[in-house]
Amino acid sequence: MLALKGRQDGYKLLLPKEFIPEHINEKYSKILREQRGFINKPIDFLNETIQKIEVLGFNNATVGQTFPGKDVNSKSFAYPGNEAYYRSAANPQALIDKTLNIHFKHTLGYLNYFMVFESFLYHYSREQKYKNMPQEIAIDLLNEKGSIYARIIIEKPLIDGIDMLSLDYTKPIAESQTFQVTFKYSSFDYQFIQAEESNWNGEVE
């Protein structure tokens, strides 16, 4: 696919342009121009290789308690030794797994892998400040007509890990391989989009 449009699986995620630092952007822009491909901007090239994302979900939202004593409640099947489950006393937002997994398809020369790797090294150097790092990632959810009806905003995302680069002579070169980049984030927002706003292009300024 050559155009940055929503795929048939109903979502669109575009990493913001500031995800790739300027000096890294210049280096890979030159490489892409020399390849004479359809995409010359590194961030567009990186976004085009996104294959799958995983976001939200939660765990441990209940607390179990064992029934003591000898009484049997035949109507509710509450027998001694059985467990009953109740809502966790924790804040519901504390139960949400604040992880975003993005799966990328490897490209020839592993260009997109090293775009992410070098961007990580730059952003995580000690002299870089949090305010200069990407502040949000938007995930657009599409309806059956391909229009945006809702948006998940991942706020203050930080790269938590990236798959190792697997180089294997035993596998065919043309075999499709992917790598996963894991982000952690502090908070998120879920927004419904009004019909008149559904032509939003998905770019995060």
Side-chain angles (χ1 to χ4, degrees):
M1 187 180 69
L2 301 178
L4 293 174
K5 296 181 180 178
R7 298 173 171 85
Q8 293 301 313
D9 41 13
Y11 78 93
K12 179 170 62 176
L13 183 152
L14 298 178
L15 294 171
K17 58 185 179 182
E18 62 268 21
F19 180 80
I20 301 178
E22 184 60 32
H23 71 286
I24 297 175
N25 184 73
E26 291 177 2
K27 178 172 69 173
Y28 283 97
S29 291
K30 181 179 179 181
I31 295 174
L32 292 175
R33 286 195 300 269
E34 291 174 349
Q35 292 184 346
R36 300 182 183 276
F38 291 94
I39 301 177
N40 294 323
K41 294 182 179 180
I43 191 63
D44 292 344
F45 181 83
L46 183 60
N47 282 325
E48 186 68 13
T49 62
I50 293 175
Q51 297 289 291
K52 182 176 72 171
I53 63 175
E54 297 161 335
V55 68
L56 299 181
F58 57 88
N59 293 291
N60 303 317
T62 60
V63 177
Q65 181 178 3
T66 302
F67 280 110
K70 301 180 180 180
D71 295 334
V72 176
N73 186 337
S74 58
K75 293 183 179 179
S76 64
F77 297 96
Y79 294 92
N82 279 6
E83 278 192 325
Y85 287 89
Y86 305 91
R87 292 176 296 180
S88 171
N91 184 323
Q93 292 215 18
L95 302 174
I96 296 173
D97 184 357
K98 295 184 176 64
T99 301
L100 168 64
N101 295 323
I102 303 180
H103 300 255
F104 297 86
K105 180 179 179 180
H106 273 301
T107 60
L108 289 177
Y110 306 100
L111 285 181
N112 57 344
Y113 184 90
F114 285 104
M115 284 180 190
V116 176
F117 202 94
E118 291 187 43
S119 297
F120 161 75
L121 293 177
Y122 176 84
H123 285 304
Y124 282 65
S125 59
R126 290 302 179 185
E127 60 267 22
Q128 296 303 315
K129 298 180 180 180
Y130 280 99
K131 66 178 182 179
N132 297 327
M133 299 174 67
Q135 296 300 302
E136 62 180 38
I137 296 175
I139 305 170
D140 292 331
L141 305 181
L142 311 179
N143 61 21
E144 67 279 2
K145 296 181 180 179
S147 299
I148 302 168
Y149 78 90
R151 185 177 303 136
I152 302 171
I153 302 293
I154 302 301
E155 300 173 347
K156 301 187 183 303
L158 295 171
I159 295 178
D160 187 57
I162 184 174
D163 284 347
M164 296 181 68
L165 186 60
S166 178
L167 306 175
D168 191 344
Y169 278 123
T170 66
K171 293 183 179 180
I173 296 177
E175 182 179 279
S176 175
Q177 297 180 357
T178 62
F179 65 95
Q180 175 180 303
V181 179
T182 300
F183 293 82
K184 293 292 186 179
Y185 54 92
S186 300
S187 59
F188 72 96
D189 188 21
Y190 180 74
Q191 305 171 351
F192 278 101
I193 307 301
Q194 300 296 326
E196 57 269 20
E197 300 178 19
S198 62
N199 60 350
W200 187 72
N201 62 12
E203 294 184 356
V204 180
E205 297 297 337

